[in-house]
Amino acid sequence: MSTPAPKSPAGNLATFNILHGFPEALVRGMRSSFLADADYHHLTQCETLDDVRLNLSETDYMEALEDMNALIPTGLQKAAVEKLVTEFKYLRTQAIEPLSTFLDFITYEYMIENVMLLLKGTLSGRDINELIAQCHPLGMFKESTMRSIPTFESTPRGYQDLYQTVLVDTPVGPYFAQFLQESSDRSEVSNVLEEVEIEIIKSSLIKFWIEDFAKFVDSLGGETAVIMGDLLKVRADTNAINITLNSFGTPLNEPAMRASDRKRLYPAVGHLYPAGTSMLVDVGDEDELGRVLELFPMYSSIWNVHSAGSDGKSIDDAFYERDVQMLELAFEGQMHYASFYAYVKLKEQEIRNLVWISECILQQQKEEIHKFVPVFSFNAPWRAGSNKHARR
């Protein structure tokens, strides 16, 4: 998919505030809505979900929860996501090109996830209304489109019909076309199980989205290309590592499929590309994956967390901590678009934190309640360490 040139400049020191000053001021003002360390401290001391609701009534979530009769984790998550979507849509209405296209790119990821959720759900025979209710609001199509997606068969021909009939006119249609073109270059889409095939399609679409987003960001130039470009490179690397790790014990890890199907899922951007991804192709188990990542210092420490299993942390926890640090730093720069992407992703992390805390309270697992990654925390390792150094 070719990325069109920006219709107007992204802005520089002289023009950025003229073009995008208002939406940037909005998103930087929204930074103050994140829960503070004191809020997290009070939430972790709660004994019931009513206590959680009472503490959140003094935060930016007050209006989002006021119509909720009884607080439950799923209800809290839904209300928080709807609040984020409302804020994002308001930012989108205030944006002009090319910022508006940048914000649209953020939503494409959720569109892909919704399409895959509907396809995978129908394989399990789940009700379409239940599936649509679980779709992310930022990735919704028209209701007629949403209801049409699960009606196609999970076969190469079915996917072709799905694209030609439904997805061709959607923003993610070009990514699906790329997947079909790549599949047509092989004799069959794949000989793996249907459930695995859905994950392969999703990984392919996300790969094409990352590559297309990276091209667009690079075409903008300036600070946006530097800061947002680095965020997308790290996102691409995370995908490559997770695809390799999750393939162990599946047909994708068979020697013949490593160099064909699995290799095609690695994004053609990132700090690991091309040398690292070339080495990942030959990886067959966790030990070999660890030896490859040891060659890349920014990922060796993350892998050490996974292999050691210290403090009950998984590799996903390590990725979340790294992501939060980088996304917070995006707010430190000026006159770039990365802060909009960072706001959405940091809010998602905050929502994960709220759901985790409420689930721990509901299931009376208070000893696990502190295993979350706070956002803009003064106690974060990357801040606490620098503060200690400064005091010395």
Side-chain angles (χ1 to χ4, degrees):
M1 176 180 177
S2 59
T3 302
K7 297 177 182 177
S8 63
N12 52 35
L13 184 63
T15 62
F16 187 90
N17 284 338
I18 299 173
L19 297 168
H20 314 297
F22 182 61
E24 190 201 28
L26 286 174
V27 78
R28 291 187 181 278
M30 289 176 179
R31 172 178 169 172
S32 63
S33 69
F34 285 97
L35 298 176
D37 287 335
D39 296 319
Y40 281 115
H41 174 72
H42 294 149
L43 288 171
T44 56
Q45 302 304 310
C46 293
E47 296 295 332
T48 66
L49 293 182
D50 287 336
D51 295 339
V52 172
R53 181 176 181 174
L54 182 62
N55 278 278
L56 289 177
S57 66
E58 299 178 1
T59 70
D60 204 54
Y61 290 97
M62 175 181 64
E63 293 184 6
L65 301 178
E66 62 183 3
D67 294 330
M68 194 176 296
N69 294 325
L71 184 69
I72 57 175
T74 54
L76 172 58
Q77 181 179 24
K78 182 179 179 181
V81 169
E82 288 177 351
K83 175 179 175 294
L84 170 59
V85 171
T86 300
E87 294 166 348
F88 180 86
K89 288 183 176 179
Y90 182 67
L91 288 172
R92 177 62 180 82
T93 62
Q94 304 303 315
I96 63 172
E97 288 291 351
L99 175 58
S100 56
T101 299
F102 179 91
L103 296 178
D104 289 341
F105 263 105
I106 296 176
T107 66
Y108 296 167
E109 177 185 9
Y110 303 102
M111 293 181 187
I112 292 170
E113 290 180 350
N114 286 351
V115 171
M116 292 300 104
L117 173 64
L118 293 173
L119 290 177
K120 189 172 182 178
T122 51
L123 285 179
S124 307
R126 296 172 60 187
D127 181 66
I128 178 63
N129 295 311
E130 178 189 346
L131 293 172
I132 291 177
Q134 292 182 1
C135 288
H136 198 289
L138 276 182
M140 298 295 282
F141 305 109
K142 293 185 298 184
E143 185 173 353
S144 59
T145 301
M146 301 293 287
R147 292 187 177 277
S148 298
I149 292 172
T151 61
F152 294 87
E153 294 181 358
S154 182
T155 63
R157 180 60 189 172
Y159 297 141
Q160 186 77 36
D161 293 340
L162 172 62
Y163 166 69
Q164 294 176 345
T165 310
V166 179
L167 296 180
V168 64
D169 294 324
T170 67
V172 298
Y175 307 138
F176 215 87
Q178 282 181 274
F179 167 75
L180 293 173
Q181 178 61 45
E182 195 175 74
S183 300
S184 67
D185 295 337
R186 293 173 279 170
S187 57
E188 258 325 302
V189 171
S190 184
N191 60 352
V192 297
L193 297 174
E194 285 184 329
E195 289 276 345
V196 178
E197 175 63 19
I198 293 293
E199 291 303 317
I200 291 175
I201 298 173
K202 179 179 178 180
S203 296
S204 297
L205 298 181
I206 292 293
K207 166 199 169 181
F208 296 137
W209 166 72
I210 291 174
E211 292 173 353
D212 195 32
F213 200 177
K215 288 178 184 176
F216 176 76
V217 165
D218 188 59
S219 71
L220 295 176
E223 286 294 294
T224 298
V226 175
I227 300 175
M228 189 64 208
D230 194 46
L231 289 173
L232 288 174
K233 286 179 181 178
V234 169
R235 173 65 189 276
D237 293 343
T238 302
N239 274 28
I241 294 170
N242 279 330
I243 286 168
T244 306
L245 186 60
N246 294 333
S247 72
F248 300 149
T250 72
L252 274 180
N253 196 39
E254 294 175 2
M257 296 190 70
R258 292 178 200 165
S260 56
D261 294 62
R262 195 172 79 182
K263 181 180 180 180
R264 288 189 177 94
L265 302 180
Y266 297 148
V269 294
H271 298 292
L272 291 177
Y273 178 81
T277 51
S278 296
M279 289 186 281
L280 290 179
V281 172
D282 299 321
V283 165
D285 55 43
E286 290 198 8
D287 290 336
E288 293 178 5
L289 177 58
R291 284 194 289 272
V292 170
L293 295 181
E294 283 294 329
L295 302 175
F296 300 87
M298 65 185 304
Y299 297 114
S300 61
S301 58
I302 291 177
W303 181 254
N304 290 337
V305 170
H306 169 78
S307 57
S310 56
D311 299 326
K313 284 186 179 180
S314 66
I315 193 169
D316 288 332
D317 296 326
F319 279 137
Y320 285 145
E321 288 183 356
R322 187 276 320 276
D323 290 346
V324 166
Q325 179 181 3
M326 293 187 66
L327 293 166
E328 288 181 2
L329 288 173
F331 274 91
E332 303 302 322
Q334 299 291 325
M335 301 177 186
H336 62 81
Y337 297 166
S339 54
F340 294 91
Y341 177 85
Y343 179 75
V344 173
K345 295 303 178 181
L346 288 174
K347 271 296 177 182
E348 286 187 339
Q349 179 61 49
E350 183 173 85
I351 294 170
R352 280 194 292 268
N353 294 344
L354 288 173
V355 173
W356 176 262
I357 291 171
S358 58
E359 286 283 6
C360 287
I361 293 172
L362 182 64
Q363 299 176 23
Q364 297 182 348
Q365 298 287 330
K366 294 294 289 288
E367 66 276 5
E368 304 287 329
I369 201 168
H370 293 282
K371 293 182 179 180
F372 60 87
V373 185
V375 178
F376 291 115
S377 170
F378 287 106
N379 298 319
W382 50 90
R383 282 202 176 88
S386 61
N387 291 340
K388 292 176 183 177
H389 182 74
R391 284 195 292 269
R392 290 175 187 170

